[in-house]
């Protein structure tokens, strides 16, 4: 209900507060001009953050993780920066791979871009999502220009 009623900013704050009450150390940075987005985009952003943070290794839960949500004139920008847990076993590696695949699929549904950057100290997930709705972009891409012109 919070996501639909109050928007992605409030919903993310509630989610991060919940995780922090249970031992995580996550800093959420929301741009002051974040505002509201179409429902599909807000759900996508929330689910990306949920996947990225919900699958953190218990060993990294106490480490400082940052979630940044910003807005430009045409895009929503999301960054999730998480330190490595120092555990390179196969189970953790598979979990990270699954998490990245799910995030990538969600971003592609909105014709956005995602970059995963791994450094010795951690992982940075950078997501850019266009502010146009998924329906608008799909419908205009599927209808030939001469038909669009006739419909106007």
């Amino acid at each position: 209900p919070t996501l639909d009623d109050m928007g992605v900013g409030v919903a993310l704050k509630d989610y991060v507060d919940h995780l922090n009450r249970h031992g995580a150390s996550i800093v959420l940075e929301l741009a002051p001009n974040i505002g509201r987005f179409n429902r599909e985009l807000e759900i996508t952003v929330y689910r990306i953050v949920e996947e990225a943070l919900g699958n953190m290794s218990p060993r990294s839960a106490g480490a400082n993780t940052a979630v940044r949500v910003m807005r430009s004139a045409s895009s929503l920008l999301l960054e999730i920066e998480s330190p490595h847990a120092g555990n390179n076993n196969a189970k953790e590696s598979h979990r990270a791979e699954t998490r990245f695949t799910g995030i990538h699929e969600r971003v592609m549904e909105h014709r956005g871009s995602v970059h995963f950057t791994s450094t010795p100290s951690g992982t940075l997930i950078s997501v850019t999502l266009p502010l146009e709705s998924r329906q608008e972009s799909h419908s205009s891409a599927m209808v030939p220009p001469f038909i669009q012109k006739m419909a106007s």
Side-chain angles (χ1 to χ4, degrees):
T2 303
L3 183 59
D4 286 338
D5 297 337
M6 303 299 290
V8 71
V10 174
L12 287 176
K13 184 178 179 331
D14 285 353
Y15 181 63
V16 167
D17 287 348
H18 170 79
L19 293 175
N20 285 338
R21 282 191 304 272
H22 291 87
S25 180
I26 301 165
V27 175
L28 175 64
E29 299 172 20
L30 292 171
N33 66 336
I34 200 66
R36 294 291 309 259
F37 304 96
N38 71 60
R39 185 174 190 276
E40 293 155 344
L41 189 63
E42 289 191 333
I43 291 169
T44 295
V45 170
Y46 186 85
R47 294 293 180 222
I48 288 171
V49 173
E50 190 176 48
E51 280 185 71
L53 299 181
N55 290 322
M56 284 192 314
S57 162
R59 293 181 62 173
S60 66
N64 289 325
T65 297
V67 176
R68 291 180 280 280
V69 184
M70 299 153 281
R71 178 184 199 140
S72 73
S74 61
S75 301
L76 181 143
L77 311 166
L78 170 65
E79 291 182 343
I80 303 162
E81 191 169 7
S82 179
H84 286 305
N87 185 7
N88 292 325
N89 70 34
K91 185 177 179 182
E92 292 298 323
S93 177
H94 175 70
R95 191 160 65 178
E97 184 178 313
T98 302
R99 171 180 54 157
F100 293 159
T101 300
I103 291 169
H104 182 263
E105 288 173 356
R106 289 182 191 281
V107 171
M108 293 301 108
E109 286 178 7
H110 287 274
R111 304 174 121 195
S113 65
V114 61
H115 299 282
F116 301 99
T117 306
S118 184
T119 67
S121 61
T123 301
L124 174 65
I125 303 170
S126 302
V127 174
T128 303
L129 296 165
L131 293 181
E132 67 182 31
S133 77
R134 207 170 35 174
Q135 279 184 323
E136 290 170 6
S137 63
H138 285 319
S139 63
S140 63
M142 293 171 35
V143 178
F146 67 89
I147 294 177
Q148 285 180 354
K149 197 172 197 178
M150 290 173 51
S152 305

